[in-house]
């Protein structure tokens, strides 16, 4: 698998050349991660982070999706959930408990905006990386993990079990070493991460869902469709 990315920012060392070596990909991934620590919604660093380590995994996911009618439709129609494609005001008017209403409330509660990126789509792998980034906030909604330090790590562990992304494992390792404010004692952190990983393993692939077709559906119905098990009691 040829690891490359159509997006770059040379001044930050965010550039992945064609046929980059493992060392180069690791170096770019670490630089992208450092940018994301300060700017989690950075439109260049975010997709480049995934492209640098997980292009082969997204290629495998594309192959799996192409085996089903639903997956082929996703890769063919390539829906987008970037900021310019979402009417948060309209979603916020949907009944409470629906996916659309919960999604709109997620942004207002956290004081953030939907993901926006200049990421160019050259092929299905590029698209799936872009789709994964765009649906990150929806992953919080459907899994029930919060946006604090622990909730973010639980979601990364869920994704590691669900999609097998190396970037999620790298984030978890960085958090274990750096111990950002808000994480519990290590034994409890490890326990939470392990539970989230197993929960992700048992669920349908998060990137396979056409979320924009389920705005009016109850969040719980979407969770059942993805086979996401209820969160364990705190």
């Amino acid at each position: 698998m040829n690891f490359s990315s159509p997006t770059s920012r040379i001044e930050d060392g965010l550039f992945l050349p064609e046929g980059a070596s493992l060392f180069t990909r690791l170096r770019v991934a670490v630089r992208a991660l450092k940018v994301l620590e300060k700017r989690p919604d950075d439109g260049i660093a975010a997709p480049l982070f995934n492209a640098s380590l997980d292009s082969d995994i997204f290629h495998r996911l594309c192959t799996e999706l192409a085996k089903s009618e639903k997956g082929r439709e996703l890769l063919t129609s390539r829906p987008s959930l970037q900021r310019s494609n979402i009417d948060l005001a309209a979603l916020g008017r949907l009944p409470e408990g629906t996916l659309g209403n919960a999604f709109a409330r997620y942004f207002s509660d956290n004081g953030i905006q939907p993901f926006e990126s200049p990421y160019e789509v050259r092929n299905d792998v590029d698209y799936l990386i872009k789709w994964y980034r765009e649906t990150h906030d929806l992953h919080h909604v459907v899994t029930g993990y919060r946006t604090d330090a622990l909730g973010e790590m639980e979601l990364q562990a869920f994704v590691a079990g669900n999609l097998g992304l190396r970037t999620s494992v790298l984030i978890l390792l960085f958090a274990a070493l750096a111990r950002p404010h808000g994480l519990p004692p290590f034994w409890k952190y490890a326990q939470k991460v392990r539970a989230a990983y197993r929960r992700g393993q048992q669920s349908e692939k998060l990137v396979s869902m056409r979320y924009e077709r389920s705005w009016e559906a109850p969040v719980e119905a979407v969770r059942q469709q993805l086979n996401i098990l209820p969160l364990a009691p705190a």
Side-chain angles (χ1 to χ4, degrees), residues 129-169:
I129 291 173
K130 174 177 172 285
W131 180 244
Y132 167 70
R133 296 304 315 181
E134 290 175 0
T135 55
H136 172 82
D137 296 306
L138 272 167
H139 298 166
H140 274 287
V141 174
V142 298
T143 62
Y145 294 126
R146 297 179 299 180
T147 55
D148 58 7
L150 178 58
E152 289 290 354
M153 293 308 104
E154 287 180 299
L155 181 56
Q156 292 300 330
F158 186 102
V159 168
N162 188 256
L163 302 176
L165 299 188
R166 300 183 188 99
T167 45
S168 292
V169 175

Side-chain angles (χ1 to χ4, degrees), residues 54-147:
D54 291 327
S55 288
D56 60 331
I57 294 176
F58 280 101
H59 183 271
R60 173 175 53 78
L61 289 169
C62 285
T63 301
E64 292 178 9
L65 285 170
K67 294 177 181 178
S68 69
E69 182 178 351
K70 183 178 70 172
R72 288 193 297 272
E73 185 187 22
L74 173 70
L75 296 176
T76 300
S77 58
R78 295 181 178 178
S80 175
L81 292 180
Q82 294 207 40
R83 188 183 312 158
S84 56
N85 302 112
I86 302 173
D87 187 344
L88 287 180
L91 293 180
R93 290 192 291 270
L94 291 174
E96 187 174 350
T98 61
L99 181 66
N101 179 269
F103 190 47
R105 195 172 68 248
Y106 169 92
F107 288 107
S108 61
D109 288 349
N110 289 285
I112 57 177
Q113 291 292 319
F115 188 77
E116 190 77 30
S117 172
Y119 194 76
E120 177 189 355
V121 173
R122 304 166 298 178
N123 49 49
D124 287 346
V125 173
D126 286 344
Y127 170 71
L128 203 60
I129 291 173
K130 174 177 172 285
W131 180 244
Y132 167 70
R133 296 304 315 181
E134 290 175 0
T135 55
H136 172 82
D137 296 306
L138 272 167
H139 298 166
H140 274 287
V141 174
V142 298
T143 62
Y145 294 126
R146 297 179 299 180
T147 55

Side-chain angles (χ1 to χ4, degrees), residues 13 15-17 19-30 52-53:
F15 172 69
L16 193 65
S21 66
L22 176 60
F23 175 78
T24 298
R25 289 188 281 116
L26 284 171
R27 176 171 51 79
V28 172
V30 170
S52 62
L53 294 182

